[in-house]
Amino acid sequence: MYMGPLSREELSLIFDEKAQLILNYYIAKNLFAEPDPLNNQSEVSFRAPNEHAEQWIAQAIGGKRIGAGSYPIDVLNSDETFGCDIAILTAKTLTSGKLSSGTSGEKSIGQQFSDETWSGEYSLDELFRDERVYEIAESSNDIFFKKFNSIKKDYPTIKKVFYFFLLIHSQKNKVYLFGLDIDINSKKEIGNPVRVGKSGTEMKNVALDNFIDSRYGEVKTYKSKKRMEIRLRTKNLVDGGFCLTFDTKKNRKLLNLRDYDKDQLLDLYDNQSFEVRKNF
């Protein structure tokens, strides 16, 4: 497997007490910036753009943001011994609000629009049409390994590469920090990739077997997107003790701000900032 979960203890060595304090600080700032719900509380939940999460983590570990767009990693630590790619995903939940055993939202881990890059002789569409599952998996494997192995050429001092995920569990006002250790030193065996979907229907994606243990998530290659995506099983990660947990609780009472004059808005600003500061 390319990816293995970091234990809570391993995660805490990277995100020490000071780093967790900094993440709590940014979460508090983000909560303060949430718009107030107008008609019902479900209008608003904790959200943050990926670019902000990259800066949060850069600040937390004392690193720096690098790269852009499709570059394999977002942040380097201070002595450039490890790099990390960062994503914010939404956890899958039940109607009760509890975590579901299903998978989270997706993160792209490799994308190529050129058919030649995928296979050379055949286009990706043709590989899917002919249900060449092994060839799709082989091409996916090549693209992923080439992408991440290239980091060592740009940053020869790097010894480790990680994925860090902030998994949002809005219904319970939680964010879970989870990490994957990525082995970029050797190309992995293909294993047993699987066609996804009912027999007799068009094949649209392939489940890859050599990326992550199925208890923790899944990686698939998608025909339409021409990319590989990872999704995580948040419930198993939380229940297994792999995550650091952050609180996103806030008084999200309904407000119609058109009913407020300037002084009342200033008072509201002061009250809400005090509430967030108290939680931080």
Side-chain angles (χ1 to χ4, degrees):
M1 298 286 179
Y2 280 111
M3 307 169 189
L6 294 173
S7 69
R8 183 183 174 88
E9 292 70 27
E10 290 171 322
L11 200 57
S12 296
L13 290 175
I14 300 170
F15 293 91
D16 59 11
E17 185 177 350
K18 186 62 171 291
Q20 292 179 47
L21 181 65
I22 291 168
L23 288 178
N24 268 314
Y25 164 75
Y26 278 118
I27 287 170
K29 287 184 69 176
N30 197 78
L31 285 169
F32 177 68
E34 274 186 7
D36 301 291
L38 178 62
N39 299 304
N40 62 77
Q41 291 180 335
S42 64
E43 290 177 327
V44 177
S45 60
F46 183 85
R47 291 289 184 272
N50 230 67
E51 294 81 4
H52 287 193
E54 292 168 14
Q55 192 63 41
W56 296 0
I57 288 181
Q59 286 275 9
I61 66 174
K64 61 180 179 180
R65 287 182 69 196
I66 62 166
S70 61
Y71 195 73
I73 54 177
D74 301 314
V75 173
L76 279 175
N77 70 330
S78 58
D79 59 3
E80 297 189 359
T81 55
F82 78 75
C84 51
D85 195 12
I86 296 155
I88 294 184
L89 304 179
T90 301
K92 184 77 170 178
T93 56
L94 303 169
T95 53
S96 65
K98 294 181 179 180
L99 289 171
S100 160
S101 58
T103 56
S104 69
E106 79 281 355
K107 172 179 171 49
S108 172
I109 62 170
Q111 185 171 30
Q112 293 290 343
F113 292 105
S114 167
D115 283 322
E116 288 74 18
T117 305
W118 278 99
S119 56
E121 185 178 358
Y122 299 95
S123 71
L124 184 62
D125 286 342
E126 288 172 331
L127 291 176
F128 268 96
R129 183 198 64 197
D130 298 339
E131 301 201 1
R132 295 173 176 260
V133 172
Y134 188 86
E135 286 90 337
I136 293 168
E138 192 171 41
S139 295
S140 301
N141 196 43
D142 291 343
I143 289 168
F144 179 83
F145 181 73
K146 181 179 180 181
K147 173 182 176 179
F148 276 89
N149 193 250
S150 67
I151 299 170
K152 294 191 294 185
K153 298 177 183 177
D154 297 333
Y155 300 97
T157 57
I158 279 186
K159 295 181 174 63
K160 287 278 190 179
V161 175
F162 303 106
Y163 276 134
F164 292 130
F165 298 93
L166 291 168
L167 297 159
I168 298 174
H169 185 185
S170 294
Q171 292 88 335
K172 298 297 181 181
N173 297 308
K174 301 293 182 186
V175 171
Y176 310 111
L177 175 63
F178 170 67
L180 284 171
D181 189 347
I182 308 172
D183 184 354
I184 63 171
N185 295 314
S186 61
K187 189 180 292 188
K188 307 306 176 190
E189 296 295 324
I190 301 300
N192 298 296
V194 177
R195 177 197 196 280
V196 179
K198 296 180 180 178
S199 178
T201 62
E202 179 186 1
M203 187 176 81
K204 295 183 179 180
N205 54 74
V206 169
L208 306 176
D209 186 44
N210 59 334
F211 282 82
I212 187 171
D213 189 303
S214 60
R215 291 175 294 174
Y216 309 129
E218 64 183 29
V219 173
K220 295 179 181 178
T221 296
Y222 289 81
K223 172 187 175 183
S224 60
K225 302 177 184 178
K226 296 187 185 295
R227 74 182 190 184
M228 295 161 274
E229 294 178 351
I230 185 170
R231 290 172 168 81
L232 299 173
R233 301 190 186 280
T234 312
K235 184 179 188 302
N236 292 354
L237 301 176
V238 172
D239 291 349
F242 291 104
C243 302
L244 297 175
T245 303
F246 299 89
D247 187 23
T248 60
K249 188 175 182 180
K250 179 184 177 182
N251 180 9
R252 295 181 174 91
K253 63 182 179 181
L254 304 184
L255 297 174
N256 185 345
L257 297 187
R258 290 189 63 84
D259 295 336
Y260 287 62
D261 61 26
K262 182 177 179 180
D263 288 338
Q264 290 172 318
L265 285 173
L266 288 171
D267 288 341
L268 180 64
Y269 180 97
D270 290 339
N271 291 335
Q272 290 189 348
S273 62
F274 178 76
E275 178 196 352
V276 170
R277 177 172 176 164
K278 183 173 61 177
N279 291 339
F280 166 65

